[in-house]
Amino acid sequence: MADLRNVFESFEQLDSYKRIDNTHPLDLYIGKDELSRWTLLLLTEIRPANILPSKMISTSVGIRKDKRWTLTFSLVDDTYMDMFVLFCSDIIDTSRSLKNKSKAASFVVNRYNEWREMWANSRGALLSPEEIKGLLGEMVFLQKYLAPKYGIEQAVMSWTGPRRLPQDFIVNETWYEVKTISSSGSEVIISSVEQLDSSETGELVVIHADKTSPSDTNAIGLNNLYSTISASILDDDVKAWFSNMLLQYGYYPRPEYESAEYLFEVKKISHYTVDSTFPCLRRDAIPVSVMKVKYSLLLAAISSHRKE
């Protein structure tokens, strides 16, 4: 982020821009517009959709003499300089692996709209420690288990976690609910009846992970998981859907997540079959007056349902 900020600050002339780099597949530029505002600019052959501004960013769509379209995002409130740099960095990084330039405009517009929605919902801060650990566990499960089993595109599209549905993954005729706890943890928290109460047989997946140091060769973090998974997705639409869904969750690859505080080592992954015999709460056994239920499951007590 510091490097990009330095580039913005280096511009002295108004209405001057510099291409991101020669290897980026999109024609993205940063600079200062005619009003001396920091600006991210996309050149595209296809007309971008009109988009709404935010309290931080002014947006515009225009056409040049060479018939190419421009899409610009300009910072209107210097209070948000750091957030604007994060936004620009995210647009640059998430679009870097796009294979089809014809989708450039729609990708950037959709990405901006997800950011705008996140800002409106005040999700600009770092995720909480609990959210970080939970998200990391789901991404590990997607990468290590679902992708090899179903293929990366189907695995990604089965992920429902950030959309706050009862189960984290729903694919074909089954589902998976992922819980991430420390290696010494002996129980998992079930936050609603619906998480395990299903007419379809599914799995409760328990990931044991502990904080570790950067020198640990097995250390993983949100940013490197995101980069690895995103790079393995070949379909541009699936890649965009993956990035935008994470943004709904409140995650984008900001540098703070690189710190040692947010690095983990996965110690063990356990699978438990959840069928009609699994000992969990069922909606039809709970009084109708009880609307919400949260309970703990003792892992030792469900060992008979553990899969080898």
Side-chain angles (χ1 to χ4, degrees):
M1 183 178 76
D3 291 342
L4 191 58
R5 183 185 181 112
N6 290 339
V7 175
F8 273 119
E9 292 176 340
S10 69
F11 287 96
E12 296 181 356
Q13 293 184 341
L14 301 185
D15 199 21
S16 60
Y17 298 89
K18 176 181 180 180
R19 199 180 197 280
I20 294 304
D21 58 55
N22 293 327
T23 61
H24 200 289
L26 306 188
D27 292 325
L28 280 170
Y29 296 79
I30 60 172
K32 283 185 178 179
D33 67 7
E34 66 279 3
L35 299 178
S36 192
R37 302 178 301 187
W38 289 4
T39 299
L40 176 69
L41 181 149
L42 171 71
L43 285 180
T44 175
E45 309 298 329
I46 299 174
R47 188 189 193 286
N50 290 321
I51 50 179
L52 297 174
S54 70
K55 66 179 181 180
M56 180 199 314
I57 293 176
S58 171
T59 61
S60 67
V61 173
I63 189 167
R64 307 194 322 170
K65 292 181 180 179
D66 61 3
K67 304 302 181 182
R68 299 187 76 192
W69 293 90
T70 61
L71 173 62
T72 61
F73 305 91
S74 299
L75 177 67
V76 295
D77 186 341
D78 289 349
T79 305
Y80 299 103
M81 281 182 171
D82 287 344
M83 186 61 69
F84 183 73
V85 171
L86 283 172
F87 162 73
C88 294
S89 298
D90 176 75
I91 294 293
I92 294 165
D93 292 339
T94 56
S95 63
R96 188 173 290 279
S97 57
L98 282 180
K99 303 293 190 300
N100 190 344
K101 288 186 68 172
S102 67
K103 296 182 179 179
S106 61
F107 178 91
V108 173
V109 167
N110 290 337
R111 191 68 176 166
Y112 166 75
N113 286 333
E114 294 292 348
W115 272 87
R116 186 172 176 274
E117 182 177 346
M118 185 181 67
W119 291 325
N121 294 330
S122 301
R123 292 299 306 262
L126 287 172
L127 296 174
S128 69
E130 293 77 16
E131 289 173 323
I132 291 171
K133 195 169 185 177
L135 180 57
L136 181 136
E138 291 177 28
M139 293 174 74
V140 165
F141 179 68
L142 190 158
Q143 179 194 38
K144 301 292 187 183
Y145 181 80
L146 287 186
K149 184 176 178 67
Y150 299 103
I152 186 61
E153 276 80 15
Q154 187 175 7
V156 167
M157 296 304 291
S158 75
W159 194 15
T160 66
R163 290 186 287 158
R164 305 294 196 247
L165 296 183
Q167 288 86 35
D168 295 318
F169 298 90
I170 301 175
V171 56
N172 294 343
E173 301 299 323
T174 192
W175 53 267
Y176 304 88
E177 177 62 25
V178 180
K179 300 293 182 183
T180 306
I181 62 175
S182 66
S183 61
S184 60
S186 60
E187 63 182 65
V188 293
I189 304 298
I190 309 301
S191 57
S192 72
V193 174
E194 289 71 25
Q195 280 192 332
L196 300 183
D197 182 20
S198 174
S199 59
E200 303 287 344
T201 297
E203 287 188 15
L204 170 64
V205 181
V206 180
I207 296 178
H208 297 264
D210 295 328
K211 286 187 176 182
T212 190
S213 69
S215 61
D216 184 349
T217 57
N218 294 318
I220 55 174
L222 289 181
N223 287 358
N224 55 29
L225 273 171
Y226 170 79
S227 298
T228 302
I229 294 172
S230 183
S232 69
I233 303 171
L234 300 180
D235 186 286
D236 285 344
D237 291 332
V238 176
K239 189 189 298 287
W241 190 88
F242 174 65
S243 296
N244 290 340
M245 189 171 64
L246 282 171
L247 201 53
Q248 292 178 31
Y249 196 100
Y251 167 78
Y252 47 98
R254 52 194 294 175
E256 290 91 334
Y257 291 126
E258 303 285 351
S259 71
E261 183 181 359
Y262 304 119
L263 295 179
F264 293 84
E265 179 183 358
V266 174
K267 303 291 189 178
K268 181 175 63 173
I269 301 178
S270 302
H271 297 246
Y272 299 85
T273 299
V274 181
D275 55 19
S276 59
T277 68
F278 188 84
C280 63
L281 294 180
R282 309 284 179 178
R283 175 57 65 186
D284 58 10
I286 298 175
V288 294
S289 58
V290 178
M291 296 299 296
K292 295 182 180 180
V293 174
K294 182 178 181 180
Y295 63 99
S296 299
L297 276 179
L298 187 63
L299 296 180
I302 61 172
S303 58
S304 61
H305 293 266
R306 183 174 172 178
K307 299 175 65 176
E308 295 298 331

